[in-house]
Amino acid sequence: MQTSRNIFTGNLAKWKQHGLAFVIIMVAMLLYFSPVIFQNMGPHAEDTIAWKGASKSIRDYNATHDDLALWATNMFAGMPAVNISVPIAVYSVDTLIQKMPVPWTFLYFLVGGFFFYLFLRQVGLSWFVSVFGALIFVLVPHHLGLINAGHNTKMRAIMFTPLLASTFLFYVKKTSIFSFGAFTLALALMVRTNHYQIVYYSGFFLLALGVPFIIQYVQNKEWNKLGLQLGLLIGVILVAGVISAPRMVLTEQYLPYSIRGSSGETENTAQGGGLDKGYATKWSFPPEEITTFIIPNYFGGSSQYEYTGSAVPQLQGRTIPAYWGDMPFTSTTQYLGILSVFLALIGIISFWKNNIVKALLVLTVAALLISFGRHFSPVFDLFFNFMPLFDKFRAPSMILYLVRISAPILAAFGLQYVLDLDKSQWKQHLKLLGGVAGGMAVIALIPLLMGNQFELMKSMEAQQYRDQVLQMIQNARLDMLKTDAWRVLILLFFAGGALYAYLKNYLNAKVLAPILLVLMVIDMYGVDRRYLREFVPQTQTERAIQKTQVDNYIQQDTGLYRVFPVGNLFNSNRWAYFHQSVGGYHAAKMFNYQKMIEENLYQGTEQGNSINWNIVKMLNVKYLVADGQIPSEHVNILGQDPQQKWVLHEVKNPGPRAWMVYNTRVVPKASAQRQVLNQSSFNPLREAVAGSAFLSQTTTDSVAYTADVSSFDANSIKVEVETPREGLLVLSENYLPIWWEATIDGEPVEIHKVNAFQRGVVIPEGSHSVTMNIEATVFHASLISANVFLWIVHVILLIFFIKQIPAVREKLSARNSE
């Protein structure tokens, strides 16, 4: 007898059901990614373009050297490469995906969708329901919007979450060497995405899945089973940790010296704390924006949005600042889908006795409360102050990732309830379905009835725009909001009509199921295309950072120097693509360098501009680029780029990359050292500021010396020095007390922290060869151990699959003979 559990698969073997599900998910993804796969197109992702600039020196080095670049020479006067681009030197599934001829974005979504389907089958849901839930997951607009935003590591981590969850359930339900290996590999792949915030939150998800099993073991007094699984779980974490260690080792070692790991004025920054709470909570999710789960444009969607409405003809077809919520800006939406939310609420109510449903509801509520950040500080503060490593992460709204995982699962439970319900009790079911739909309809009616009373503007926009322009923007926002509200009501109407016809036996489950699927896809696609349509030819994306006349002129100078993009240009990584820049953007830049930017870079005393020329000398800046002319006696104006209107300046007497000083001004505290750097009486080419005295004799008089940088690359710097007396070699590179080791004529010497953020080495009288090399011994050792353990896991999985071949052949032969 055919039931709702097999309405589309009949008596198909499980492997055929899985194969059919894979094909359906693949076809859906092909429709979305066809421009990338068949037309050689790609997203115009701003963050990807920024990454290309930041990683340029690293990629260039890796292409011509056998070792891996561990230092980026093109940003911030040098910084660790680990959080920019360190290739995975241990090969597995993720590296295979990257090397496939098919676009990796498509493959990650295919993996995510298929394992989401398998996960839903593991929790006992039917074939169609599992496919339905998997499609919701991959079609969530936020997930697809990550591609256009260029948040690639985040997207990879999210798409590996279903693999992690599926192998975890497999491990718990059938603990064996194979399930141990599968779960270990999945966890290692998840960590290797390098998005540790998503990895951290995925632990909450696994905890929610595991708690029901722990409760069951305790109730049944299955202590041996509980002990075995917890013990092996520790083994999974340890082995996965070893496999993913190379990047983690670098990240863990660097963390205390980045803006995410230091918070105090201590000489030993390893003792510092995490992010400043104000900085960490900028992207707190406002509670009122929960409405965006069912109405994507309730608060405008994204900050840069193409207005296609007709209410404001002047703005039609133009990009407008659509988002008017409380967060600084957004690049996508938190929309979950109207049918997804509707079915998720049904699933929670109808399957309330299911422990997994209870756990997911608790997880969803907890994630929401944490995401509110500064808007609901008691909960966020509890985690920020007491949970290990939690204070290293910013953007509380990122934990909504857990809501986007839970909602499709709960929606699948809701659909299962609908397809399995007893129609003889149709009135009782109608009350539940109608009540949930009615509540959602009321939320959609509010902007239609009261939208004119909404503020529809951010707090600073009154000063930012003229009244007439602001009024047009507000009208466009209201138009977008009302359009989406009508959209929700129409979808609810059709879905509600289909459900009513189903309850009254006008439709059966075999007809209702595809109707709901089509409505869901129409709903999701309508929002998805807003955030995944900026495809441009790959050749254009590869040339996204265009060389200008300013770049051409600067590159004629083949010396060793840096470029200073001034003012609004400072945070752009495009300068790092062509030059060694003192600016750029990175979320984990070095703490000492960030303090220099905040307290020194623009604290000059020259009339007409605020540039600190002491810092300019110390950073080996030879060229400055600004939106206008810089009035200063320290620079010559070379000209203006006719297209970009940038003005190029050359420093008259630029500071070198390495120089000698013969006096150290002792200032114990780093904050006081930075104050010295702002003083006009301080000459960085004659003396250095330090926490202690390094030289046996000092003088501020001019001394004839030479300090020539003979070689300079990502992992090594060599300076030839000739000095008539003992002095301090100052290198215009960021000081980092780990990895870098110095020698003078082959003998090890100490690298001192000078000028609050730079390196110094004491040089004895005479001619000497000074070398600084990165010696990340733990990292290199971790590469060996990671390879060993990964091969062990691969062999375990391979042996299991080989052992299954005879059994599979036997089953196929038996079926063929029937």
Side-chain angles (χ1 to χ4, degrees):
M1 177 181 176
Q2 195 175 62
T3 69
S4 64
R5 292 277 168 171
N6 59 3
I7 52 176
F8 294 106
T9 55
N11 295 318
L12 273 181
K14 264 196 173 182
W15 70 271
K16 290 183 179 180
Q17 294 180 29
H18 297 341
L20 182 58
F22 181 84
V23 170
I24 292 173
I25 295 167
M26 182 175 66
V27 169
M29 291 297 92
L30 283 172
L31 294 175
Y32 272 77
F33 288 95
S34 59
V36 180
I37 299 172
F38 303 115
Q39 301 173 35
N40 197 30
M41 306 281 275
H44 185 74
E46 291 297 329
D47 275 26
T48 301
I49 295 169
W51 172 83
K52 287 183 176 181
S55 64
K56 184 64 163 60
S57 69
I58 302 168
R59 290 182 288 119
D60 287 349
Y61 182 90
N62 291 340
T64 56
H65 293 73
D66 294 332
D67 59 331
L68 295 174
L70 299 181
W71 192 258
T73 59
N74 58 335
M75 290 179 68
F76 306 128
M79 74 167 286
V82 55
N83 295 118
I84 301 175
S85 179
V86 173
I88 300 175
V90 185
Y91 297 100
S92 189
V93 176
D94 46 3
T95 46
L96 180 64
I97 289 175
Q98 295 293 126
K99 294 181 182 297
M100 293 287 282
V102 182
W104 61 266
T105 48
F106 164 76
L107 293 175
Y108 269 97
F109 272 81
L110 185 57
V111 168
F114 181 65
F115 278 96
F116 202 95
Y117 155 81
L118 289 180
F119 171 81
L120 293 177
R121 294 303 302 272
Q122 287 173 284
V123 298
L125 300 180
S126 67
W127 178 85
F128 178 83
V129 167
S130 299
V131 171
F132 189 94
L135 288 175
I136 291 178
F137 171 71
V138 293
L139 299 184
V140 166
H142 188 94
H143 296 163
L144 290 159
L146 294 174
I147 298 173
N148 265 87
H151 297 169
N152 295 332
T153 57
K154 182 180 178 183
M155 183 272 288
R156 291 181 186 127
I158 290 173
M159 288 301 137
F160 269 152
T161 302
L163 171 64
L164 183 66
S166 180
T167 54
F168 173 72
L169 279 190
F170 180 44
Y171 162 78
V172 172
K173 291 183 175 182
K174 191 175 181 180
T175 305
S176 65
I177 294 177
F178 175 66
S179 64
F180 175 92
F183 182 37
T184 299
L185 180 61
L187 181 58
L189 292 173
M190 184 74 171
V191 177
R192 279 159 53 118
T193 62
N194 216 33
H195 200 294
Y196 297 117
Q197 191 164 357
I198 293 296
V199 173
Y200 190 92
Y201 295 154
S202 70
F204 295 170
F205 181 47
L206 294 186
L207 180 63
L209 295 179
V211 165
F213 291 97
I214 294 174
I215 294 173
Q216 175 186 324
Y217 296 152
V218 172
Q219 288 176 341
N220 297 335
K221 297 182 179 181
E222 298 177 275
W223 306 113
N224 290 339
K225 194 172 185 179
L226 177 60
L228 174 64
Q229 290 192 348
L230 290 178
L232 288 176
L233 180 60
I234 295 173
V236 167
I237 295 171
L238 291 176
V239 176
V242 172
I243 293 173
S244 50
R247 276 183 175 172
M248 285 201 303
V249 163
L250 294 175
T251 300
E252 188 274 335
Q253 289 181 328
Y254 168 58
L255 181 63
Y257 308 103
S258 76
I259 58 174
R260 295 197 174 211
S262 183
S263 63
E265 292 291 348
T266 61
E267 291 304 307
N268 180 10
T269 54
Q271 301 302 315
L275 286 172
D276 172 74
K277 187 179 172 184
Y279 176 74
T281 56
K282 274 187 177 180
W283 269 266
S284 296
F285 186 64
E288 63 271 17
E289 292 192 31
I290 290 177
T291 51
T292 60
F293 291 171
I294 62 172
I295 303 179
N297 277 333
Y298 209 107
F299 284 86
S302 63
S303 297
Q304 297 295 313
Y305 190 90
E306 184 181 348
Y307 175 65
T308 57
S310 57
V312 188
Q314 303 96 315
L315 297 179
Q316 194 170 38
R318 297 176 61 180
T319 299
I320 66 169
Y323 177 70
W324 53 278
D326 188 70
M327 291 184 286
F329 62 85
T330 62
S331 58
T332 183
T333 177
Q334 296 293 348
Y335 184 61
L336 296 175
I338 187 64
L339 282 180
S340 175
V341 176
F342 169 73
L343 290 172
L345 293 173
I346 296 298
I348 292 169
I349 297 170
S350 58
F351 277 90
W352 177 242
K353 292 183 179 180
N354 185 293
N355 287 333
I356 288 181
V357 170
K358 287 181 181 178
L360 289 176
L361 177 60
V362 172
L363 179 70
T364 300
V365 173
L368 275 173
L369 293 176
I370 294 170
S371 76
F372 295 157
R374 58 187 171 83
H375 301 295
F376 191 66
S377 58
V379 173
F380 180 81
D381 288 353
L382 184 67
F383 283 82
F384 189 81
N385 294 327
F386 299 106
M387 276 290 290
L389 300 177
F390 197 91
D391 61 350
K392 308 297 187 253
F393 305 126
R394 63 174 186 157
S397 60
M398 197 176 294
I399 202 170
L400 292 176
Y401 140 77
L402 296 175
V403 178
R404 295 191 299 274
I405 293 287
S406 297
I409 300 172
L410 295 171
F413 275 99
L415 180 59
Q416 193 70 69
Y417 161 79
V418 169
L419 296 181
D420 288 347
L421 58 79
D422 180 3
K423 293 183 186 178
S424 64
Q425 305 291 325
W426 70 270
K427 289 185 179 179
Q428 178 182 342
H429 298 306
L430 184 62
K431 287 181 182 179
L432 172 60
L433 298 174
V436 173
M440 297 177 72
V442 169
I443 295 175
L445 283 170
I446 290 174
L448 293 175
L449 300 175
M450 305 173 60
N452 292 325
Q453 300 177 36
F454 290 3
E455 193 171 31
L456 297 163
M457 61 180 285
K458 295 176 75 70
S459 58
M460 298 299 295
E461 288 182 336
Q463 292 78 37
Q464 188 177 357
Y465 299 105
R466 289 180 287 120
D467 291 344
Q468 184 179 1
V469 173
L470 182 57
Q471 187 62 55
M472 287 194 295
I473 293 174
Q474 288 175 297
N475 290 341
R477 289 168 174 168
L478 181 59
D479 180 37
M480 291 163 54
L481 173 55
K482 287 186 174 181
T483 299
D484 269 359
W486 276 115
R487 187 175 169 280
V488 166
L489 290 174
I490 291 170
L491 285 166
L492 280 175
F493 173 79
F494 281 108
L499 287 169
Y500 181 78
Y502 172 68
L503 291 174
K504 296 290 288 180
N505 272 323
Y506 301 136
L507 299 177
N508 59 28
K510 203 167 185 177
V511 176
L512 174 70
I515 289 176
L516 294 180
L517 179 63
V518 169
L519 287 175
M520 183 273 290
V521 172
I522 289 173
D523 174 27
M524 291 299 206
Y525 179 78
V527 181
D528 288 339
R529 66 187 182 89
R530 303 175 187 178
Y531 300 96
L532 190 66
R533 63 177 181 175
E534 296 178 22
F535 287 121
V536 295
Q538 282 286 1
T539 53
Q540 183 176 332
T541 62
E542 291 166 1
R543 298 195 306 267
I545 306 177
Q546 294 290 328
K547 186 179 285 189
T548 66
Q549 288 190 18
V550 165
D551 300 311
N552 285 327
Y553 184 92
I554 294 174
Q555 287 185 339
Q556 292 176 20
D557 189 334
T558 58
L560 191 59
Y561 57 85
R562 293 196 179 94
V563 174
F564 179 6
V566 180
N568 294 330
L569 306 179
F570 187 84
N571 289 326
S572 173
N573 285 353
R574 60 96 48 210
W575 302 102
Y577 190 85
F578 299 107
H579 318 286
Q580 290 185 24
S581 173
V582 302
Y585 171 78
H586 195 275
K589 68 168 73 76
M590 296 189 68
F591 174 79
N592 287 329
Y593 196 82
Q594 178 62 30
K595 297 300 288 184
M596 181 277 295
I597 293 172
E598 295 171 357
E599 299 181 19
N600 299 117
L601 188 58
Y602 292 106
Q603 298 298 321
T605 58
E606 186 180 29
Q607 190 173 2
N609 72 84
S610 60
I611 295 173
N612 186 334
W613 297 103
N614 283 340
I615 300 297
V616 170
K617 285 183 180 180
M618 293 162 59
L619 291 178
N620 183 217
V621 172
K622 189 173 182 180
Y623 298 99
L624 294 89
V625 186
D627 287 325
Q629 293 187 8
I630 299 173
S632 174
E633 61 181 15
H634 294 278
V635 295
N636 292 317
I637 297 174
L638 298 178
Q640 184 180 50
D641 187 300
Q643 291 185 327
Q644 305 294 336
K645 305 304 180 184
W646 296 329
V647 179
L648 179 62
H649 307 74
E650 182 178 16
V651 179
K652 292 179 180 178
N653 297 299
R657 184 60 57 95
W659 66 95
M660 294 289 295
V661 299
Y662 297 90
N663 182 62
T664 52
R665 188 187 301 192
V666 178
V667 180
K669 289 189 176 181
S671 57
Q673 291 175 18
R674 287 191 289 271
Q675 292 303 311
V676 173
L677 304 184
N678 294 334
Q679 297 173 8
S680 58
S681 61
F682 174 72
N683 184 347
L685 301 185
R686 291 289 181 90
E687 63 175 333
V689 184
S692 59
F694 307 132
L695 303 175
S696 56
Q697 294 182 347
T698 62
T699 179
T700 56
D701 294 338
S702 177
V703 176
Y705 69 87
T706 59
D708 299 323
V709 179
S710 57
S711 67
F712 181 91
D713 61 40
N715 292 340
S716 180
I717 304 167
K718 191 172 183 178
V719 186
E720 304 298 332
V721 179
E722 185 171 345
T723 174
R725 58 181 295 171
E726 181 191 64
L728 182 71
L729 175 67
V730 179
L731 190 67
S732 181
E733 284 285 310
N734 275 314
Y735 171 80
L736 186 66
I738 56 173
W739 304 336
W740 284 101
E741 296 181 2
T743 62
I744 297 178
D745 303 327
E747 294 296 321
V749 293
E750 184 179 356
I751 301 175
H752 301 284
K753 178 182 174 184
V754 299
N755 297 332
F757 69 99
Q758 294 185 311
R759 304 180 202 171
V761 174
V762 176
I763 308 295
E765 176 186 341
S767 298
H768 303 282
S769 181
V770 182
T771 302
M772 292 187 189
N773 294 318
I774 283 187
E775 302 290 346
T777 53
V778 178
F779 166 71
H780 293 296
S782 72
L783 288 175
I784 298 172
S785 57
N787 270 298
V788 171
F789 277 84
L790 186 58
W791 275 110
I792 292 173
V793 171
H794 284 166
V795 168
I796 289 173
L797 298 180
L798 183 61
I799 290 174
F800 173 83
F801 284 118
I802 291 174
K803 281 187 172 182
Q804 302 308 305
I805 292 175
V808 171
R809 283 179 178 172
E810 188 177 335
K811 286 183 179 179
L812 290 176
S813 299
R815 284 201 174 93
N816 291 333
S817 62
E818 290 177 357

